[in-house]
Amino acid sequence: MKQILLITDGCSNIGVSPILAAAHALQEGITVNVAGVVDYGTIGELGSLEIAEIAKSGGGISRIVGTRQLAQTMQMMTRKTVVQTIQQAVNKELKHILGEGSLEDLSPQRRAQVVEVVDELTETTPLQVALLIDASGSMKPKLSAVEEAIRDLMLSLQAREGQSELAIFHYPGNHGSEETVMNVGWTADIGSLKSLFGKIQMKGATPTGPAIMKVIDFFHYGTLDAHQAWRGNSDEGEKALGDYVV
């Protein structure tokens, strides 16, 4: 099971729309969750709307939280998405078996057995979570809380019976050509999560959509530089994507 967990505090402002990118992730079997992080004040109406729409397009969950609630929220979103995905698969199979029937049509005993299967699969299904961290200028005071939340998430995943792995990315990179940078590749070792963001040069740009596309590449190819043939090379294709730039 594959998830992207995006952690951001505002609107994207460069490149393809993150809403379009999240929809593409969902088509590739990757659920996109979004945690909007605030310290003081609010993210704003546009930021809140974008966060909700990214998660909706990516088949996931969105929450706007303070830094103190971030760790608990990340754990909740990750687990809830696993449960929802498994429930959807089970319900689809039940519909295939029962025709027009549903889980509610089963006897209490049968229903309890299905719930037990869902609970077991939630704990045992292999899980990969790619954390995508907005490292634009406004996120700087929040990154220490993000780092602590990541460690807590890793600890909670280690408590699962199934294999669980994290990979960590931030965006934008230190150089103009780097839309996304990998901090840690797939790992189940909390010891590998050393200082993650100490050397980041914070920038004002927020290329959320391109960053999501790079992480999709990583899921498929293990690299951030794979050729994304789906984008196409025609002027018409570029114009179509340009219409979604925020």
Side-chain angles (χ1 to χ4, degrees), residues 186-204:
W186 293 123
T187 182
D189 178 17
I190 195 170
S192 65
L193 306 183
K194 298 177 181 177
S195 180
L196 296 172
F197 309 120
K199 297 181 180 179
I200 291 179
Q201 297 176 15
M202 311 298 288
K203 295 184 178 182

Side-chain angles (χ1 to χ4, degrees), residues 95-115:
K95 189 172 182 180
H96 176 72
I97 295 170
L98 300 175
E100 295 301 318
S102 65
L103 182 60
E104 287 70 28
D105 296 324
L106 297 176
S107 67
Q109 182 180 0
R110 290 290 188 186
R111 193 157 52 231
Q113 289 174 339
V114 171
V115 171

Side-chain angles (χ1 to χ4, degrees), residues 8 10 34 36 43 46-55 62-64:
T8 183
V34 190
I43 283 179
L46 288 177
S48 300
L49 179 61
E50 182 177 271
I51 285 168
E53 289 298 316
I54 292 171
S62 66
R63 294 288 187 276
I64 296 177

Side-chain angles (χ1 to χ4, degrees), residues 75-242:
Q75 293 174 44
M76 177 277 294
M77 295 170 76
T78 300
R79 179 176 177 81
K80 189 171 182 179
T81 300
V82 172
V83 173
Q84 286 182 348
T85 303
I86 290 170
Q87 284 178 337
Q88 289 169 2
V90 169
N91 287 338
K92 185 176 180 180
E93 187 64 23
L94 282 174
K95 189 172 182 180
H96 176 72
I97 295 170
L98 300 175
E100 295 301 318
S102 65
L103 182 60
E104 287 70 28
D105 296 324
L106 297 176
S107 67
Q109 182 180 0
R110 290 290 188 186
R111 193 157 52 231
Q113 289 174 339
V114 171
V115 171
E116 185 177 342
V117 168
V118 170
D119 289 343
E120 181 180 354
L121 289 174
T122 298
E123 289 301 315
T124 59
T125 300
L127 174 64
Q128 290 183 313
V129 181
L131 297 173
L132 180 56
I133 316 300
D134 174 0
S136 56
S138 58
M139 277 289 290
K140 185 173 183 178
K142 307 177 183 74
L143 286 184
S144 60
V146 171
E147 192 162 335
E148 282 303 310
I150 290 172
R151 296 178 192 280
D152 286 347
L153 177 60
M154 175 67 89
L155 284 172
S156 73
L157 292 179
Q158 286 179 337
R160 297 178 72 246
E161 294 180 37
Q163 181 181 10
S164 302
E165 293 181 309
L166 282 181
I168 304 169
F169 308 84
H170 75 267
Y171 69 98
N174 293 336
H175 308 292
S177 60
E178 288 182 319
E179 293 168 327
T180 312
V181 174
M182 182 174 69
N183 299 87
V184 179
W186 293 123
T187 182
D189 178 17
I190 195 170
S192 65
L193 306 183
K194 298 177 181 177
S195 180
L196 296 172
F197 309 120
K199 297 181 180 179
I200 291 179
Q201 297 176 15
M202 311 298 288
K203 295 184 178 182
T206 313
T208 306
I212 292 173
M213 293 307 306
K214 289 289 187 180
V215 175
I216 294 171
D217 271 350
F218 183 79
F219 269 107
H220 287 312
Y221 309 113
T223 174
L224 295 174
D225 300 316
H227 174 64
Q228 295 169 349
W230 76 275
R231 292 188 181 184
N233 296 316
S234 68
D235 292 341
E236 182 180 353
E238 291 178 3
K239 180 178 184 300
L241 290 180

